[in-house]
Amino acid sequence: MTGDYKMTDLSKIKCFLLDMDGTVTIGNELLPGAAEFLKYLKESGRDYLFMTNNSSKNSDDYVQKMRGLGIACNPIDVMTSGEATVNYLYSLKPKARVYLMGTPELEKQFLDYKFILTDKNPDFVVLGFDKTLTYEKLVIGCDLIRAGVPYIATHPDFNCPMPNDAYIPDCGAMMELIKASTGKTPKVIGKPNREIVESVFRKRCQYKPEEFAMVGDRLYTDVKTGINAGITSILVLSGEATMKDVNESDVKPTYIFKGVGEIYEYLKEKDGIDVSCVVNS
């Protein structure tokens, strides 16, 4: 436990918010113990929701991926930064005019909510992880941003991990390009910002905030999300972060586990019992 947070017994958590790559999956494979962990959550009356910053895809893509891996998953079990951005803008101005720099999948999410996608007098400029980004899109977007149109970005990740330890430029890298041209920075919705968790709260309104836990392999996105949202944070050492990173960072998780398989073992064998050896103190 760190900071001013009260320790939450993990057996009291009712909904686990799960990062995907490096936490539950690696590429198109499940990490060890992930299937057992997810199955046990359902069997024990708990719940889970997959939460990803990747706004180049929509929830249907992730549903198909997880079902292909043998995991029970429906659109209500997924929250992308794109969906969270749609929810955020809808709360500000339903059916707003939006200039969107995003993939066709992200465009569909906006159209499903009846937003008007246009470069003529938009109410907002939105930047997603746009794998279809063109110079023309950038020119129009930068012109609108310079003119003072409110500017939103889905998430701040600089790079998107690919197979074989490769990376491609993500939304955060595009944000830096636009900042260099316009001097403007956007309001960001995805992890580590609490807006994405607020969308989850609405999607899982049957639970109280203290009944959620954020699980992920990155300190500066996943764990920071939990801290910013005021919920329990769990770091798994199955992806990016190491104990060296934890020791050198100001961002401290509530709990640390080797992987979700170890969370499964803890919940299965020690439900309702505090196990101090797995707690970061």
Side-chain angles (χ1 to χ4, degrees):
M1 182 178 69
T2 62
D4 296 326
Y5 293 92
K6 295 180 179 178
M7 180 55 65
T8 300
D9 184 343
L10 282 189
S11 69
K12 306 298 184 185
I13 298 298
K14 294 185 178 179
C15 187
F16 289 79
L17 309 181
L18 303 170
D19 173 57
M20 299 188 76
D21 195 53
T23 300
V24 174
T25 60
I26 184 70
N28 291 314
E29 296 182 2
L30 290 171
L31 283 166
E36 295 83 354
F37 171 61
L38 297 171
K39 182 180 178 182
Y40 184 72
L41 290 182
K42 293 295 187 181
E43 289 177 345
S44 61
R46 298 177 172 95
D47 197 1
Y48 59 79
L49 181 145
F50 299 112
M51 193 161 75
T52 175
N53 263 359
N54 191 339
S55 62
S56 70
K57 300 178 181 180
N58 58 37
S59 60
D60 290 339
D61 296 309
Y62 289 104
V63 168
Q64 292 175 17
K65 175 178 179 177
M66 298 313 294
R67 286 179 178 176
L69 295 173
I71 302 301
C73 188
N74 293 296
I76 198 171
D77 300 320
V78 179
M79 175 63 68
T80 69
S81 65
E83 182 180 351
T85 301
V86 167
N87 290 338
Y88 173 76
L89 290 179
Y90 191 84
S91 72
L92 296 180
K93 188 174 183 179
K95 300 182 181 179
R97 300 169 65 86
V98 175
Y99 179 69
L100 177 63
M101 290 177 278
T103 59
E105 291 85 355
L106 185 58
E107 289 179 1
K108 182 179 183 301
Q109 287 187 298
F110 276 81
L111 292 172
D112 286 344
Y113 271 70
K114 309 302 181 184
F115 286 103
I116 300 167
L117 301 184
T118 180
D119 60 357
K120 307 299 182 186
N121 301 312
D123 300 299
F124 303 98
V125 173
V126 176
L127 173 68
F129 177 21
D130 189 2
K131 293 181 180 179
T132 63
L133 188 66
T134 64
Y135 193 73
E136 181 181 7
K137 283 186 181 181
L138 276 172
V139 169
I140 295 170
C142 287
D143 284 346
L144 292 168
I145 291 165
R146 285 193 206 94
V149 178
Y151 168 34
I152 312 292
T154 57
H155 63 289
D157 299 37
F158 285 102
N159 291 297
C160 178
M162 301 295 287
N164 302 317
D165 296 323
Y167 294 89
I168 58 175
D170 205 328
C171 187
M174 299 172 191
M175 283 166 48
E176 289 299 309
L177 188 159
I178 292 172
K179 180 182 177 181
S181 178
T182 67
K184 302 290 182 66
T185 56
K187 177 174 180 59
V188 183
I189 304 301
K191 296 185 292 184
N193 300 287
R194 68 172 289 122
E195 283 82 0
I196 191 170
V197 179
E198 289 172 348
S199 278
V200 171
F201 288 165
R202 290 190 289 271
K203 206 167 194 177
R204 290 291 197 273
C205 59
Q206 67 268 42
Y207 305 124
K208 301 174 183 177
E210 60 267 26
E211 294 174 329
F212 288 90
M214 179 70 218
V215 186
D217 68 304
R218 293 183 178 185
L219 288 167
Y220 54 91
T221 53
D222 303 315
V223 171
K224 188 68 172 178
T225 298
I227 293 171
N228 287 341
I231 63 176
T232 296
S233 60
I234 303 173
L235 177 70
V236 288
L237 302 176
S238 53
E240 179 178 301
T242 65
M243 282 305 303
K244 180 176 183 290
D245 295 324
V246 175
N247 293 332
E248 293 176 353
S249 176
D250 293 333
V251 178
K252 304 294 185 183
T254 317
Y255 289 87
I256 301 174
F257 289 91
K258 292 178 182 177
V260 293
E262 192 174 68
I263 305 176
Y264 158 67
E265 292 294 340
Y266 169 66
L267 292 174
K268 181 182 176 183
E269 298 176 12
K270 304 291 184 180
D271 241 348
I273 301 174
D274 180 29
V275 182
S276 60
C277 64
V278 300
V279 177
N280 180 61
S281 57

